Amino acid sequence: MAWDWSAVGDFMPRFFDGLLVTLQALVLGALVAFTLGLVWAMAQRSSLAVVRWPVNILTEFVRNTPLLVQLFFLYYVLPEWGITLSAMVTGVIGLGLHYSTYTAEVYRAGIDGVPAGQWEAATALSLPRIRTWGAVILPQAIRRVIPALGNYVIAMLKDTPMIFVIGVMEMLGEARQFASETFLTVEVFTVVGVAFIVISYPASLLMRALERRLVR
């Protein structure tokens, strides 16, 4: 069966639309994941069980259930409770919430890696707890975990096609629809596959270089 690469040109406008949606979901989802992950990590270190235990239960539940199930829940179940979100917002929240449970572990490792002397110095200087976290602990912890956070961004990129199931037309969604209309499956899926490689491989090289630089 001959491949018709000349017809790929008809797919490119839709491909770039899907690429833009993919990048939007990735960037916004990463921001949600990084923010919530830090909240979870700090809550898990709380001395209050009423704060610590619910967060532990939530993160374990989210981490141990499939992202696909979580997307279906957010998009189809929440409206039954009067909470209706657009497909794009649902996709961003779903990706962000799912990966926040992993970034929380990254933050936790970074916080645990801060030398005990830093905590003792902050206590000796009578720094308020908020200032201890904001000026002493978090800057050191986050610097240590930036490469690991970057790796989760790459992983999130590879999971963005899942938001197609709730109607978000990202790259792979556009490819699926175009292929169903034209039967050019090999051509359009090759274009999308190459696009994922072009985005993710340089990003992974950047993360490795950043990791080497930060550990010096």
Side-chain angles (χ1 to χ4, degrees), residues 53-172:
W53 280 104
V55 170
N56 286 335
I57 293 171
L58 173 65
T59 54
E60 286 298 324
F61 176 80
V62 173
R63 193 182 299 123
N64 288 285
T65 54
L67 172 58
L68 194 59
V69 173
Q70 295 163 18
L71 289 171
F72 277 126
F73 180 87
L74 291 172
Y75 195 65
Y76 294 109
V77 177
L78 287 187
E80 298 292 329
W81 299 343
I83 303 174
T84 302
L85 305 172
S86 70
M88 185 63 174
V89 171
T90 301
V92 168
I93 293 175
L95 286 169
L97 177 61
H98 185 80
Y99 276 93
S100 72
T101 61
Y102 295 98
T103 59
E105 288 300 302
V106 173
Y107 285 125
R108 182 192 58 77
I111 293 170
D112 289 345
V114 175
Q118 298 295 311
W119 294 92
E120 294 168 359
T123 302
L125 293 172
S126 300
L127 293 180
R129 189 165 182 82
I130 293 179
R131 184 163 176 76
T132 298
W133 278 103
V136 180
I137 305 304
L138 290 182
Q140 297 181 66
I142 292 175
R143 181 177 181 274
R144 296 167 180 266
V145 303
I146 286 176
L149 293 176
N151 290 333
Y152 278 117
V153 172
I154 297 172
M156 189 185 298
L157 169 67
K158 292 183 285 188
D159 272 347
T160 53
M162 288 194 183
I163 63 179
F164 173 70
V165 300
I166 56 173
V168 180
M169 296 302 292
E170 41 64 61
M171 272 196 301
L172 194 58

